[in-house]
Amino acid sequence: MSESDTAPAPAAPGPARLTKDPSGPAVHPALFLMMAVCSGATVANVYLAQPLLDLFARNLGISDSAAGIVVTCAQFGYAAGILFLVPLGDVRRRRPLLTAMLAATVLMLLIAAAAPGLSVLAAAAALIGCATVVPQVLVPLASELAPPEKRASIVANVQIGLMSGIIGSRVIGGLVGEAFGWRAVYILAAVLTALTGLITLLLLPRESARPAMPYRDLLISLPRLLRQEPALRHACLLHGALFGAYTATWATLVLVLTGEPYGYSSATAGLFGLLGLAGAFAAPWAGRFVDRRGASPIIAASLVLALVSSGAYALGGSTPAFMIMAIVLVNVAVQWSQIANQARIFSYLPEARSRANTVYMVAVFLSGAVSAALASACYGAYGWSGVCTVQGVLALAGLAVLPAARRYDHHTESAVG
């Protein structure tokens, strides 16, 4: 039996009912805006260390390579938080869950700011990454609270906040760190996390008790969900391929920009990251389109953009205009794909949005890590053209999966109709 002939299996436990607060509307008009702002402020904590490595090395008396362990610990911590904490969104009230995450994040940020040496700083970075998975709880919650006809648009707006936080952390963190020292960056992050988190928590509607499920069973349900739900498998493959394509070139881009013929400084090369805001600006349109026409056309368009971007990247090895075009295209593609694929799985799996998001994000992170390693090896063996080929091949792989996803959508719509 093919995936297109397989009906989606129900996932337990069922969704909690959000009850109307007698003192006001169930969903405050400012809630979705604050979800976006809070997502940006908290995801930024994962990337704080990236522009501060030189400051760590000078202040703590360590090598640049040793300072890099702080970035690695933050990334591993974030992956662990997605796997072990985010699924709780299906079985715990979100306000106390988010409160615990935010409180732990603020505490760890302050510990990092006071760290006397590398070991404490690295351990704090790992715990910061683990606790600051707040956006991965807020995105499914936003999908649940949103009117069905605006679900993708609202998810897109939260994604804009998340993407802006990633980019802003690298730019603002570098500026604040250079002016006031790296400890001030962590103190500022603690203040922003506490402030945006508190406002978001105050705006959340009251929630009825969540269905009970033992934690062990909750984790065991993750692989079962992937096995039983074709829509989730499609999303993991589709966005995994596209995110892998994005990561492949991004992981080695700085080597091209700082080498011949460009010869840019590391600071100048880092400014190319601001081109990633193109994806954030393009996200609202994609969300509105998905709400009106469905996810498949946007997913297809994003994969085509990634394929075109790989060619522009190849030409951009010596031509800045093509390099800029490639960066813009692939950043738009990765945002479109994220919005469309998440809207698709949230629509198919309303009773398991947090667990579906966990499986999806873990798959995407793994794809990105493998693709970055592959790209680095290809860069050493074949140069920049080899890296561009990796991006193009991954985009083609995503396009090869797309027909199965479309058949499944058509089959499900026909069955419902």
Side-chain angles (χ1 to χ4, degrees):
M1 183 179 293
S2 67
E3 284 189 351
S4 60
D5 296 325
T6 306
R17 299 295 179 185
L18 290 153
T19 58
K20 181 168 177 153
D21 189 329
S23 63
V27 179
H28 193 282
L31 175 60
F32 295 121
L33 172 62
M34 282 310 306
M35 282 182 163
V37 174
C38 185
S39 292
T42 50
V43 78
N45 298 328
V46 184
Y47 301 93
L48 288 179
Q50 290 186 356
L52 304 176
L53 297 184
D54 181 58
L55 299 177
F56 292 156
R58 282 186 280 155
N59 182 255
L60 300 176
I62 57 178
S63 65
D64 290 343
S65 58
I69 193 66
V70 180
V71 175
T72 303
C73 286
Q75 293 287 344
F76 274 110
Y78 194 64
I82 290 173
L83 181 59
F84 295 111
L85 296 182
V86 172
L88 291 169
D90 284 337
V91 295
R92 297 286 188 274
R93 287 189 175 103
R94 266 66 64 92
R95 181 182 278 123
L97 177 62
L98 289 167
T99 299
M101 288 179 175
L102 289 161
T105 301
V106 171
L107 176 61
M108 289 302 111
L109 286 166
L110 294 175
I111 290 175
L118 178 61
S119 58
V120 174
L121 180 59
L127 293 172
I128 288 167
C130 186
T132 199
V133 290
V134 170
Q136 303 307 329
V137 176
L138 288 178
V139 170
L141 179 57
S143 175
E144 180 178 326
L145 293 172
E149 69 278 6
K150 294 183 178 179
R151 179 171 292 126
S153 298
I154 288 172
V155 168
N157 290 335
V158 178
Q159 289 291 351
I160 291 172
L162 192 151
M163 187 66 181
S164 300
I166 293 173
I167 296 172
S169 69
R170 293 165 177 163
V171 177
I172 297 173
L175 294 173
V176 173
E178 196 64 42
F180 302 104
W182 65 266
R183 298 181 191 277
V185 177
Y186 282 92
I187 293 172
L188 176 61
V191 172
L192 290 176
T193 297
L195 182 61
T196 60
L198 178 61
I199 296 173
T200 303
L201 291 171
L202 290 174
L203 294 177
L204 285 177
R206 290 192 303 115
E207 193 174 10
S208 62
R210 307 287 286 172
M213 190 180 202
Y215 183 67
R216 178 175 175 273
D217 293 345
L218 187 70
L219 295 182
I220 291 173
S221 72
L222 297 177
R224 184 169 64 244
L225 196 66
L226 181 64
R227 186 175 64 252
Q228 293 177 345
E229 299 293 345
L232 181 56
R233 290 198 298 276
H234 296 151
C236 291
L237 291 170
L238 288 166
H239 192 62
L242 198 145
F243 187 74
Y246 164 81
T247 305
T249 42
W250 202 252
T252 52
L253 180 61
V254 69
L255 299 176
V256 179
L257 295 175
T258 55
E260 294 298 332
Y262 290 107
Y264 295 143
S265 67
S266 296
T268 302
L271 292 176
F272 276 75
L274 294 175
L275 294 171
L277 289 172
F281 292 137
W285 178 86
R288 291 191 294 270
F289 186 96
V290 171
D291 283 330
R292 294 194 307 267
R293 303 286 297 277
S296 290
I298 288 294
I299 296 171
S302 66
L303 290 164
V304 170
L305 285 182
L307 185 60
V308 173
S309 170
S310 67
Y313 263 135
L315 296 172
S318 58
T319 308
F322 281 110
M323 185 66 79
I324 292 171
M325 178 193 303
I327 294 171
V328 170
L329 289 178
V330 78
N331 274 279
V332 169
V334 78
Q335 285 301 301
W336 282 6
S337 175
Q338 176 84 330
I339 291 162
N341 278 294
Q342 281 191 316
R344 188 170 178 268
I345 61 174
F346 292 157
S347 176
Y348 276 117
L349 301 168
E351 298 174 346
R353 287 189 174 111
S354 290
R355 282 171 292 154
N357 195 47
T358 294
V359 174
Y360 171 78
M361 291 304 301
V362 168
V364 168
F365 261 84
L366 287 174
S367 175
V370 171
S371 299
L374 178 61
S376 296
C378 285
Y379 187 82
Y382 306 106
W384 180 239
S385 61
V387 176
C388 297
T389 300
V390 172
Q391 176 172 315
V393 169
L394 286 170
L396 287 171
L399 287 168
V401 174
L402 189 59
R406 283 176 164 168
R407 286 195 300 270
Y408 179 75
D409 290 344
H410 178 72
H411 171 80
T412 304
E413 289 168 3
S414 299
V416 172

